[in-house]
Amino acid sequence: MNFKEELIARCAARRRAQIGEMSDAAFEELLLSVRANPQASISTPTEQAYAVLGRAMARFDESTHDDDMLDDDQYIAARKKRFEQLRKACAEAIELGGDCLDALLLSKLASYENFDGLLEDLRALERLYMDGDSKPFDTLSWANVEDRPRLRLRAAFARTCGDSARWKMARDAAESLLAVTEKDGDPLGARYTAALAYARLEDEEGLNRLDARFSQGNVWSNLARCLLLYKLDRMPAARRALRGYAQLSQGAAYALLRPIFVEVYLPDRPVYAVGSFEEALCAVHEAEVIIADTPDFVAWCGEQDFLDADARAYAYAHDLDW
């Protein structure tokens, strides 16, 4: 999530509502004006909260740049410090008043100790925002910037269901999110979570229906299909799916055979270039629960000559351990 862009969108939407009827071209001009000086456009506690969170996440990201130079103890200390600072910023944003669900969500994600506890916290946030005069979830729209925090919360809930091996809940939450965001191109990647859920549930028809709704494949879907076919003991088809997975993203073979630590999403899945190594790392990271519960899957993958060769070539080309 880009907190700066979210702040700009919120400020522009508020000013548009204040001005009244406005053409799309005029709104684009308004957006440009706000983007030129976002601080000058802030006038509500919620907008102030987004400014605080934007600065905090910029500091958080900057603090990770030298992690590769640290030994284990130094890294643990540095990570602990950056999360403490982030939690303080979230508390500051929440104290400003207004209604910043993203600050509450980010605070929960920055404080989690285990997925079960995090899931309960996210469930409580969902209940809080379903009570009272809140809009029904199925009437939310990504096009409305005011609705996006609840959509991000549902996406985080769906992923956490998967992380804690509650795959039916993950499927249902992801599909409910897709129902309201698919028309906008699935901006939160709910189909990725859904694909992994269908794989773990061994629901091939469900995965087929999901894939048919989108014109372009993705690394999550290919990995999910490979896992599903392997679990169903359809090895030739699983091998073809594995080859498709390896060909779809740079370094996908290495990401699967030599997984690398992926930081918790704050507050949603990072946006990486399609077909990038970072995207493949995210897919493997999110599939780890399934992979761990699928005996010999990684060993079988490593036995495929094309995958082993791809992984080695990527490692040598990018100076990675093998």
Side-chain angles (χ1 to χ4, degrees):
M1 174 183 176
N2 186 324
F3 281 97
K4 181 179 179 181
E5 286 300 313
E6 196 80 9
L7 171 62
I8 291 168
R10 283 178 167 270
C11 291
R14 174 181 48 77
R15 289 177 60 180
R16 183 180 199 175
Q18 291 170 342
I19 294 170
E21 189 173 344
M22 178 182 294
S23 68
D24 290 342
F27 183 62
E28 287 300 319
E29 289 294 325
L30 176 59
L31 268 176
L32 289 173
S33 174
V34 174
R35 183 168 286 112
N37 189 1
Q39 288 296 128
S41 300
I42 295 172
S43 68
T44 71
T46 302
E47 290 164 3
Q48 292 172 351
Y50 275 96
V52 169
L53 295 178
R55 292 192 293 270
M57 284 306 303
R59 290 193 299 268
F60 185 97
D61 292 340
E62 186 177 352
S63 72
T64 66
H65 291 169
D66 295 328
D67 279 357
D68 289 345
M69 307 297 292
L70 305 178
D71 62 30
D72 289 348
D73 290 341
Q74 291 172 327
Y75 169 74
I76 292 171
R79 186 176 185 273
K80 180 180 179 181
K81 181 179 178 180
R82 74 172 62 110
F83 271 88
E84 287 175 350
Q85 292 174 336
L86 182 56
R87 287 191 290 270
K88 288 179 181 177
C90 290
E92 179 185 347
I94 293 166
E95 288 222 1
L96 285 169
D99 182 17
C100 190
L101 174 55
D102 279 317
L104 294 169
L105 172 59
L106 188 58
S107 177
K108 298 299 184 185
L109 294 170
S111 304
Y112 93 98
E113 295 182 356
N114 59 74
F115 287 123
D116 289 342
L118 175 59
L119 189 65
E120 288 305 311
D121 286 343
L122 299 184
R123 197 198 307 265
L125 278 181
E126 284 228 310
R127 286 196 297 265
L128 177 65
Y129 279 80
M130 287 193 306
D131 292 340
D133 297 327
S134 298
K135 293 167 61 176
F137 188 84
D138 60 5
T139 67
L140 301 180
S141 170
W142 183 256
N144 183 352
V145 69
E146 298 288 341
D147 290 347
R148 292 180 186 178
R150 288 182 64 191
L151 298 173
R152 279 190 285 267
L153 172 59
R154 180 62 61 88
F157 179 80
R159 289 194 306 272
T160 306
C161 286
D163 289 333
S164 57
R166 293 170 169 86
W167 289 106
K168 289 183 179 179
M169 290 172 59
R171 175 201 60 197
D172 294 346
E175 285 287 7
S176 71
L177 182 60
L178 266 179
V180 294
T181 61
E182 185 174 341
K183 65 181 182 296
D184 295 305
D186 185 28
L188 292 170
R191 69 186 186 272
Y192 306 155
T193 305
L196 293 175
Y198 283 122
R200 180 60 185 86
L201 296 171
E202 299 182 19
D203 184 352
E204 187 173 9
E205 290 186 3
L207 183 57
N208 288 342
R209 289 194 301 270
L210 179 69
D211 281 350
R213 288 154 62 181
F214 298 91
S215 60
Q216 188 172 9
N218 60 78
V219 68
W220 281 265
S221 180
N222 280 34
L223 181 57
R225 188 166 297 280
C226 182
L227 280 160
L228 171 63
L229 293 169
Y230 180 88
K231 289 168 68 66
L232 296 176
D233 199 28
R234 287 160 52 190
M235 307 314 287
R239 192 173 295 107
R240 290 192 293 273
L242 181 64
R243 188 180 294 276
Y245 159 81
Q247 293 174 342
L248 197 61
S249 293
Q250 298 178 29
Y254 185 87
L256 181 57
L257 297 182
R258 296 290 190 275
I260 297 172
F261 173 74
V262 174
E263 188 58 271
V264 60
Y265 299 156
L266 298 168
D268 52 11
R269 183 187 290 111
V271 178
Y272 292 122
V274 175
S276 66
F277 178 55
E278 290 78 12
E279 190 181 59
L281 284 178
C282 280
V284 172
H285 165 69
E286 293 174 38
E288 280 178 356
V289 178
I290 308 174
I291 293 171
D293 195 38
T294 308
D296 301 327
F297 174 72
V298 173
W300 172 79
C301 291
E303 291 170 357
Q304 311 311 309
D305 291 343
F306 69 88
L307 195 79
D308 181 78
D310 285 355
R312 288 176 183 273
Y314 190 84
Y316 298 150
H318 294 83
D319 196 24
L320 295 171
D321 292 335
W322 184 255

